[in-house]
Amino acid sequence: MHVPLTVADFLERGVTGFANSLAIVDEPEQPAISVGSLTYAQLADRVRAWQAGFDAFGIAVGERVAVVSQNSARLLELLYAVPASGRICVPINFRLSPAEIGYIVDHCGASVLLVDPELDSALSGIVVPHRFVLGEETETGLMRFDTEPIAWANPSEEATATINYTSGTTSRPKGVQITHRNLWINATTLALHTRAWERDVYLHTLPMFHCNGWGMPFGMAGLGATQVVLRKVDGAEILRRVEAHGVTLMCGAPAVWNAVVDAAQTWDGEIPGRDRVRLICAGAPPPSRLIARLGDELGWEMYQIYGLTETSPLLTFNRSLPVDDVLSADERAGRLSRAGLPALGARIRISDSGEVLARSNVVMQGYWNDPQATESALRDGWFHTGDGGTLDSEGHLTITDRKKDVIVTGGENVSSIEVEDCIFGHQSVAQVAVIGVPDSRWGETVKALVVLAEGASVTEAEIIAHCKERLAGYKAPTSVEFRESIPVTATGKIQKFLLREPYWQGFARAVN
């Protein structure tokens, strides 16, 4: 018997086994009316209301529904509702500029655009057949609570479930096609490796748009676990939510856990969640000192994973093992700083050039409307990550450098080429190179090296402001260094490895 693996399986099990259990606690402080607390039965009712609404507006199977929102119960509902009805969900990074969001909406050919009230004005110029503001407008103008939705007639696990746009080595983002099979296997294996279970309480510290919340929304629903929505990352607020809701599980980049450790220094009373909280770290290799502090000062257990948007994202998983118990805290932290062993079903190898290659059922179907990029990434039976790494004698992967010109700052990908293109648009700039340099808070931060045009004058603050007017704020350089020249090869290619080298001296690897 062959039954297609689709995302509908997760919520279906949640409502079957846990109808009256608490499913979602929405963010109370948000511009839309909060959904409040929902049981799994109530969540399923709302998901069907979304689907019936799309039916009413004639949104067919395979059409794209784009969502631009900070973390909210409604975004979570759409991650269930849209793919489970055969449509394609396109969750978009709310931090992007209106022009960047407009490009994505146009590129994916979205029939519907749903926006957070906070972004309504800024995104008013984006034209789509159907546009709604999340909240009262969707509750009354889109959702159909009194109508049973039309079932997806021919569900296929190979159908595209979501398109997630990621910054790559070009100035335009690429749309990663993730199938139902990709999502299903990623969610299940991540739940297995993290020991997720029915009594977990998951706090959404990770943006839900990012790799569909790494698959946690699906795994948690399948287990009937409670999910608590956090709209804005703040170290002290995370501690408060852990205390108030009995949180046991969270995901995020090292910058998130740095903020929590810092907030814990002024926390009044016992740190909540000691010997209870498990956190999953990814987006950049966490410093071993941060890992040690999370265990020593907070009593929280940290796991590390490695993956990409193109891999749904789970490729490797690392946690302390029983044999590590005899080691010192610093030694255990050092072992945890590795990306880890291949996840169940994943195969990892290192190419002759040092690039990490992967094979797995979680690897994307391809890039939306970009066969050339798809062929380049998926060749010879392997996905080419663009990251450099090594495999040690225990089979653990360590990421050593980033072969593609992408900077990961606070868990967000920044295309250095895109930032260079923006800076080069300034009339005072003759040449520019953008690199990632180590940063204790964000892992890496964006630095611009600029050669001025003859006779021109511009300040660091003006270059940064120029970028912030045209790009998402996190993509703008945090520092600008003016130089007489920038080294290039005989063919005119900028030698970025030479530019990065002085800033990474003393580091064992060229990513932080």
Side-chain angles (χ1 to χ4, degrees):
M1 182 182 294
H2 178 84
V3 180
L5 306 175
T6 75
V7 299
D9 294 342
F10 296 97
L11 184 55
E12 182 178 325
R13 184 178 191 273
V15 73
T16 298
F18 310 94
N20 297 317
S21 296
L22 182 60
I24 295 176
V25 179
D26 196 13
E27 170 63 56
E29 301 296 331
Q30 57 176 304
I33 299 172
S34 176
V35 169
S37 297
L38 300 173
T39 65
Y40 271 95
Q42 292 168 328
L43 171 60
D45 286 343
R46 289 183 58 83
V47 165
R48 286 193 293 269
W50 283 109
Q51 293 171 336
F54 296 135
D55 293 342
F57 279 89
I59 311 303
V61 168
E63 291 193 59
R64 275 73 65 203
V65 176
V67 192
V68 191
S69 174
Q70 299 196 33
N71 282 357
S72 70
R74 292 181 177 89
L75 175 53
L76 192 55
E77 292 165 359
L78 288 160
L79 286 174
Y80 302 132
V82 177
S85 63
R87 301 169 178 103
I88 300 173
C89 189
V90 187
I92 300 175
N93 186 344
F94 62 85
R95 299 188 184 101
L96 298 177
S97 70
E100 292 169 312
I101 292 172
Y103 170 81
I104 291 171
V105 171
D106 179 67
H107 185 265
C108 75
S111 302
V112 182
L113 175 62
L114 304 164
V115 301
D116 185 276
E118 195 173 281
L119 303 168
D120 182 24
S121 177
L123 303 182
S124 61
I126 300 176
V127 178
V128 289
H130 305 284
R131 183 186 188 278
F132 297 91
V133 178
L134 292 166
E136 184 178 356
E137 188 171 304
T138 50
E139 302 280 322
T140 59
L142 174 57
M143 301 172 76
R144 300 291 191 271
F145 290 93
D146 57 351
T147 305
E148 190 66 23
I150 300 169
W152 184 10
N154 297 296
S156 168
E157 62 185 40
E158 300 301 337
T160 300
T162 64
I163 303 175
N164 302 80
Y165 279 78
T166 179
S167 295
T169 56
T170 63
S171 60
R172 289 296 192 182
K174 297 190 290 292
V176 177
Q177 290 178 253
I178 301 295
T179 67
H180 283 264
R181 181 179 177 83
N182 294 151
L183 287 176
W184 204 102
I185 294 176
N186 177 78
T188 304
T189 53
L190 187 56
L192 171 69
H193 286 299
T194 58
R195 299 178 298 154
W197 69 313
E198 291 79 0
R199 295 191 182 186
D200 268 326
V201 177
Y202 180 75
L203 179 62
H204 281 278
T205 48
L206 178 75
M208 295 177 191
F209 71 78
H210 188 48
C211 301
N212 310 303
W214 293 358
M216 296 305 288
F218 304 112
M220 293 299 99
L223 291 168
T226 299
Q227 302 182 61
V228 180
V229 176
L230 180 71
R231 182 176 172 88
K232 183 179 180 181
V233 169
D234 175 85
E237 186 58 32
I238 289 172
L239 290 171
R240 286 191 284 270
R241 302 287 177 99
V242 170
E243 183 175 57
H245 299 285
V247 171
T248 61
L249 190 60
M250 295 181 280
C251 297
V256 175
W257 313 126
N258 263 322
V260 175
V261 169
D262 289 344
Q265 305 311 301
T266 56
W267 181 263
D268 187 16
E270 184 178 351
I271 300 297
R274 181 170 293 276
D275 299 324
R276 184 185 77 219
V277 168
R278 313 183 315 280
L279 58 89
I280 301 110
C281 186
S288 57
R289 179 59 185 147
L290 172 62
I291 298 170
R293 291 187 68 189
L294 285 164
D296 295 343
E297 300 175 24
L298 276 65
W300 294 2
E301 184 180 7
M302 197 210 81
Y303 309 148
Q304 187 184 172
I305 69 171
Y306 164 73
L308 303 89
T309 302
E310 290 90 338
T311 62
S312 304
L314 184 64
L315 283 179
T316 70
F317 182 86
N318 192 6
R319 60 174 295 193
S320 287
L321 301 174
V323 294
D324 299 330
D325 291 347
V326 298
L327 303 176
S328 68
D330 286 345
E331 288 174 319
R332 289 196 303 273
R335 288 173 62 80
L336 269 176
S337 66
R338 298 177 295 180
L341 288 168
L344 181 66
R347 305 287 186 274
I348 303 292
R349 75 176 180 87
I350 308 300
S351 73
D352 292 340
S353 65
E355 183 180 11
V356 179
L357 308 181
R359 283 173 58 87
S360 173
N361 285 293
V362 297
V363 172
M364 66 173 181
Q365 189 176 65
Y367 293 113
W368 183 259
N369 288 339
D370 197 340
Q372 185 174 355
T374 299
E375 184 178 357
S376 176
L378 302 174
R379 62 184 189 273
D380 303 323
W382 293 84
F383 170 64
H384 293 245
T385 67
D387 290 328
T390 59
L391 289 170
D392 62 23
S393 59
E394 295 179 314
H396 284 255
L397 174 68
T398 296
I399 300 300
T400 56
D401 63 7
R402 193 163 290 113
K403 293 187 174 299
K404 53 189 178 183
D405 289 329
V406 173
I407 301 160
V408 180
T409 178
E412 294 287 357
N413 284 6
V414 176
S415 166
S416 61
I417 295 173
E418 180 182 14
V419 183
E420 288 166 354
D421 185 63
C422 178
I423 295 174
F424 195 68
H426 195 289
Q427 60 183 5
S428 297
V429 175
Q431 194 176 13
V432 60
V434 169
I435 59 174
V437 296
D439 182 86
S440 59
R441 181 180 183 188
W442 302 113
E444 289 180 290
T445 189
V446 181
K447 185 178 189 68
L449 308 175
V450 172
V451 177
L452 294 179
E454 187 175 352
S457 176
V458 66
T459 66
E460 177 183 51
E462 287 170 339
I463 291 289
I464 294 172
H466 172 83
C467 291
K468 286 186 174 181
E469 289 173 2
R470 294 160 175 81
L471 301 173
Y474 68 87
K475 296 182 179 181
T478 57
S479 62
V480 178
E481 186 177 314
F482 296 99
R483 296 198 170 187
E484 293 296 322
S485 63
I486 291 175
V488 296
T489 66
T491 58
K493 182 177 176 59
I494 294 175
Q495 296 177 297
K496 287 193 175 180
F497 71 96
L498 292 178
L499 298 177
R500 281 191 291 258
E501 193 173 66
Y503 302 99
W504 290 94
Q505 285 182 0
F507 288 81
R509 53 195 175 197
V511 290
N512 190 32

